[in-house]
Amino acid sequence: NKKKKRKKKHSDDDDDSDSSSDDDDIPISEQNQTKKFVYKVTLDFLGKDSMRYHQTVKVTQQVYKNLRSFLAGKKDDMDIFEKIDPNKVNDYLRDQMEGLTAKVFRTHNASTTLEIELAKGYHPQIGKITTKSTLDEKKFFYDQCNMQVAILCNHQRSVSKTHGEQLQKIDQQIEDIKETIEELQEEYDIKTGKKSKRKKKKKKKDADTPTKKKREKSEEQLLAAIKKKKEQLRKKQLQKRGKEDNKEVALGTSKINYMDPRITVAWCKRLQVPIEKVFNKSLLDKFPWAMQSMSKYGF
């Protein structure tokens, strides 16, 4: 393993690099807003699998001052936290919560974040999530919550080479569904007397080709068909938004290794979502012990 510039592990378990809190190349800035100081630090380092972590975050004044003192007089290739004792870190974490160590801190953080995001029960794209929301809306909302955890854990992935083609395909499907809805709506309006029937001009190539008589639908059948097509349209629109939002985010890693599965199971029970919609077969086989979780489970 290459030594990362100005980087120090804080873990008592060398085989789990994700349990470390690595801070690397930390430019620090102060900003004065309405006579109040906002303390910020920029963290820029390579994490697990050489994935870059680059975020600017707000910190307390004490953290800001500590970092300035740690950086004082050091060159870029020197460790920032060279005096950290992993055993003391773990002793401190255990004081905060029973069983908490540097190794499981990341799991605790991910699970807490998922629980908080799910508890919001709202997303601007779909509004409030309830048991009456569609299954597609519930799945979209869960994935958005999962995405926040993945961002927190820096679970990135490269954009798929076929990403652009996939979006184009979805766009075409959306346009086709919209066109079908318009045709069905026009047929319904004609049937109910809201519109008069228009004569369609026959194309030259079809002039000599006999056409099959289209079977007429009843008003109820037309309304049902329109409703079904609108549901399909909504599904495709959410699918497109999800693909755009998650093109560089890996949702699976946090779901497999970091988020407590009981949180997901409890949420699915509360919102009446089949667990198979969020956990694939391998996850169901991995977490059978979590399936008995009550709907009121809290992490």
Side-chain angles (χ1 to χ4, degrees):
N1 293 334
K2 291 183 180 178
K3 183 177 179 181
K4 307 295 189 297
K5 189 164 66 171
R6 301 185 75 172
K7 182 174 182 178
K8 181 73 176 178
K9 266 190 182 180
H10 315 311
S11 173
D12 58 350
D13 194 337
D14 292 337
D15 64 357
D16 188 353
S17 58
D18 258 352
S19 65
S20 61
S21 300
D22 299 335
D23 298 322
D24 183 21
D25 285 336
I26 307 182
I28 301 175
S29 62
E30 255 177 318
Q31 183 179 349
N32 190 307
Q33 294 180 351
T34 63
K35 296 183 180 179
K36 288 184 179 179
F37 285 104
V38 177
Y39 298 93
K40 296 180 180 180
V41 297
T42 297
L43 306 174
D44 189 1
F45 59 89
L46 293 180
K48 189 177 181 181
D49 299 327
S50 295
M51 284 294 184
R52 185 187 183 193
Y53 182 91
H54 187 198
Q55 298 285 344
T56 297
V57 296
K58 292 180 181 179
V59 297
T60 63
Q61 183 181 21
Q62 187 60 56
V63 170
Y64 178 82
K65 287 181 175 179
N66 288 348
L67 286 170
R68 286 192 71 99
S69 67
F70 297 158
L71 288 166
K74 289 182 179 177
K75 295 180 181 179
D76 287 349
D77 59 350
M78 295 175 69
D79 289 334
I80 299 170
F81 305 108
E82 76 283 354
K83 294 181 181 179
I84 287 289
D85 183 336
N87 292 324
K88 289 182 179 179
V89 171
N90 280 331
D91 287 342
Y92 172 77
L93 291 174
R94 275 191 288 267
D95 285 342
Q96 305 306 306
M97 190 183 85
E98 185 180 350
L100 182 61
T101 66
K103 182 176 174 63
V104 301
F105 181 77
R106 193 168 169 84
T107 300
H108 176 267
N109 217 13
S111 297
T112 302
T113 299
L114 177 66
E115 193 167 58
I116 291 171
E117 292 297 322
L118 289 173
K120 291 177 181 178
Y122 175 86
H123 189 277
Q125 183 80 7
I126 49 180
K128 189 176 180 180
I129 296 296
T130 68
T131 53
K132 294 181 180 180
S133 301
T134 67
L135 192 54
D136 294 316
E137 289 173 337
K138 294 172 185 176
K139 177 66 166 60
F140 174 83
F141 174 71
Y142 179 86
D143 286 344
Q144 291 293 307
C145 296
N146 190 172
M147 182 181 72
Q148 295 305 315
V149 178
I151 291 172
L152 174 75
C153 295
N154 198 40
H155 293 153
Q156 301 180 45
R157 66 176 178 179
S158 301
V159 180
S160 168
K161 292 180 180 179
T162 60
H163 178 72
E165 293 176 13
Q166 289 173 352
L167 287 184
Q168 286 179 357
K169 187 177 179 181
I170 294 174
D171 282 336
Q172 185 58 56
Q173 291 171 340
I174 288 173
E175 288 307 311
D176 291 343
I177 295 171
K178 284 181 177 179
E179 189 176 322
T180 302
I181 291 172
E182 287 178 6
E183 290 173 357
L184 289 168
Q185 187 64 54
E186 184 177 21
E187 193 176 343
Y188 176 78
D189 290 342
I190 291 170
K191 198 163 195 65
T192 55
K194 292 179 181 178
K195 279 186 180 180
S196 56
K197 193 171 184 179
R198 294 182 300 172
K199 277 191 176 182
K200 291 184 179 179
K201 289 184 179 180
K202 214 170 190 181
K203 295 178 183 178
K204 287 184 180 179
K205 64 178 181 179
D206 298 329
D208 300 324
T209 307
T211 55
K212 290 183 180 180
K213 191 175 180 181
K214 194 176 179 182
R215 185 181 175 184
E216 275 195 28
K217 294 184 177 74
S218 66
E219 291 180 21
E220 291 77 15
Q221 288 174 326
L222 287 168
L223 285 175
I226 290 170
K227 182 182 177 183
K228 186 177 179 180
K229 285 296 175 183
K230 284 184 176 179
E231 289 173 354
Q232 290 177 2
L233 177 62
R234 181 65 166 164
K235 181 177 182 178
K236 288 296 176 184
Q237 289 171 334
L238 292 176
Q239 184 183 354
K240 181 185 176 183
R241 174 66 186 270
K243 278 191 174 293
E244 288 175 331
D245 289 349
N246 296 311
K247 63 182 179 181
E248 294 181 282
V249 180
L251 300 182
T253 307
S254 52
K255 196 183 288 186
I256 295 168
N257 298 315
Y258 296 105
M259 302 188 311
D260 189 322
R262 291 172 294 183
I263 299 171
T264 296
V265 172
W267 179 81
C268 285
K269 288 182 178 180
R270 288 196 300 273
L271 273 293
Q272 299 173 12
V273 178
I275 189 64
E276 296 82 6
K277 289 294 179 180
V278 290
F279 279 177
N280 58 28
K281 188 178 183 304
S282 63
L283 285 177
L284 290 172
D285 291 342
K286 183 178 181 179
F287 301 130
W289 52 270
M291 298 305 136
Q292 305 306 316
S293 302
M294 302 297 289
S295 61
K296 293 181 180 179
Y297 172 80
F299 179 69

